[in-house]
Amino acid sequence: MKIAVTGANGFLGRGIVKQLLDSGIEVVAVSRSIDELDSRADIVQKNIFDMADPYLEMKSPNVILHLAWIDGFNHNSNSHMDNLNNHFHFLDKLFSSPVDMVSVMGTVHEVGFFEGSVNSETPTNPSNFYGISKNTLRQLVQELAVKNNKTYQWLRAFYIVAEDRKGQSIFSKIVQANDKGNEFFPFVDGKNQFDFLPYISFSKYVAMTISQYDITGIINISSGYPQTIGYIMEKFIVENSLTIKLDYGRFPTRKYDSKAIWGDSGKLDIIINNSMA
């Protein structure tokens, strides 16, 4: 099997590419920048939106994993809406190509404010530009799949715990603050509950999911249960031997953040069990 990964040099891409390569899958890693890409991959340095025939330019893979996205941590950046048309036309070309399956990375933010377990049928009502654009792209992907009689996967990501010093997540920011010698980290009240996966687990589950064809459609890449952000952050501080302390209540909770939201991991559980059979 050959899998092409767009955004391969990004935060998610690097881990997923490594997991795919470690499992013996041929990987075509596609990115505008290639400085941190795994050298075992077949590297294509291009802007995907400039590709006339992305299927051929990505070496005719069996599966495409579309991760490429900018400003993922800036939820109300105009870039989300500005680039939506480009993502659609890129995927339109792929769905009309000979590729076997197109997999696209989604986000819990496409669901919007919701309390409880999220499954494939959960209504979506996003309230920021990131969530709105991803939700619109998901609807377009579903229409393209039907139009072209093509198999698709929409991989809905929740929250990922990673010690990435160069990243923009809350975990990256607390590591950066600790490195600067800050005593306290301004924080929310820590009571909201979300679905968290360690970075390595997330990467492994995505690799498992896109390298099989039995389970398709919307798939939550999630743990299946909620934990408070305060507990997860305190645990992260201890596990990474940080000296910084959380300054609870310094920031208000974002209005669009659910009080408790997690993914129904039923589909993912089947994929994991099948891969171990």
Side-chain angles (χ1 to χ4, degrees):
M1 174 180 278
K2 181 193 292 187
I3 297 178
V5 181
T6 71
N9 199 41
F11 169 60
L12 298 181
R14 292 191 298 273
I16 294 168
V17 166
K18 181 182 185 304
Q19 290 295 329
L20 289 169
L21 290 167
D22 287 349
S23 62
I25 291 174
E26 183 180 357
V27 177
V28 180
V30 185
S31 183
R32 290 177 299 175
S33 61
I34 60 173
D35 55 310
E36 296 184 63
L37 280 174
D38 194 312
S39 61
R40 294 176 295 169
D42 187 349
I43 297 173
V44 175
Q45 186 175 16
K46 285 186 178 180
N47 184 334
I48 59 171
F49 298 148
D50 294 335
M51 292 180 170
D53 189 336
Y55 175 73
L56 290 180
E57 292 177 58
M58 292 192 286
K59 314 292 182 72
S60 304
N62 303 104
V63 175
I64 304 284
L65 172 61
H66 183 43
L67 297 176
W69 200 272
I70 64 171
D71 293 335
F73 289 101
N74 184 357
H75 292 167
N76 279 312
S77 169
N78 287 344
S79 67
H80 300 305
M81 306 310 297
D82 292 340
N83 286 321
L84 181 57
N85 193 51
N86 290 328
H87 286 284
F88 166 73
H89 285 294
F90 172 72
L91 290 169
D92 188 25
K93 294 173 186 175
L94 290 178
F95 273 101
S96 60
S97 78
V99 71
D100 296 332
M101 183 171 70
V102 179
S103 301
V104 184
M105 185 57 65
T107 171
V108 63
H109 293 289
E110 78 206 39
V111 176
F113 191 90
F114 180 85
E115 296 190 11
S117 177
V118 174
N119 60 37
S120 302
E121 305 302 321
T122 299
T124 56
N125 186 28
S127 54
N128 58 64
F129 290 171
Y130 177 52
I132 291 168
S133 58
K134 281 286 192 178
N135 188 56
T136 302
L137 188 64
R138 176 185 57 80
Q139 294 172 315
L140 292 168
V141 163
Q142 291 170 321
E143 289 301 315
L144 288 171
V146 172
K147 175 185 174 183
N148 294 280
N149 192 27
K150 191 76 67 176
T151 301
Y152 84 96
Q153 293 176 332
W154 184 264
L155 312 179
R156 184 172 281 154
F158 284 70
Y159 294 84
I160 302 166
V161 182
E163 184 192 4
D164 179 12
R165 280 177 161 76
K166 294 184 291 185
Q168 301 177 60
S169 73
I170 189 72
F171 302 101
S172 296
K173 289 178 179 178
I174 196 170
V175 170
Q176 293 161 6
N178 187 79
D179 289 345
K180 292 177 182 176
N182 295 357
E183 184 178 358
F184 293 101
F185 185 76
F187 198 50
V188 293
D189 63 19
K191 296 179 181 178
N192 288 42
Q193 300 178 62
F194 305 118
D195 192 313
F196 296 93
L197 277 177
Y199 180 77
I200 293 177
S201 298
F202 178 86
S203 301
K204 185 180 298 183
Y205 296 157
V206 170
M208 288 180 180
T209 300
I210 65 175
S211 56
Q212 56 84 48
Y213 300 120
D214 294 330
I215 308 297
T216 59
I218 299 173
I219 303 168
N220 292 325
I221 310 298
S222 61
S223 69
Y225 58 91
Q227 298 181 84
T228 65
I229 179 64
Y231 168 77
I232 291 296
M233 287 292 282
E234 294 285 5
K235 182 181 177 184
F236 181 83
I237 288 170
V238 171
E239 290 179 345
N240 291 279
S241 302
L242 308 183
T243 58
I244 199 167
K245 299 178 181 65
L246 296 176
D247 186 3
Y248 287 100
R250 283 287 299 278
F251 290 131
T253 300
R254 294 179 302 197
K255 292 182 180 180
Y256 57 81
D257 278 339
S258 305
K259 301 300 181 185
I261 186 169
W262 62 97
D264 180 332
S265 62
K267 284 187 172 182
L268 180 61
D269 292 340
I270 295 172
I271 292 169
I272 295 170
N273 290 335
N274 288 346
S275 70
M276 296 177 177

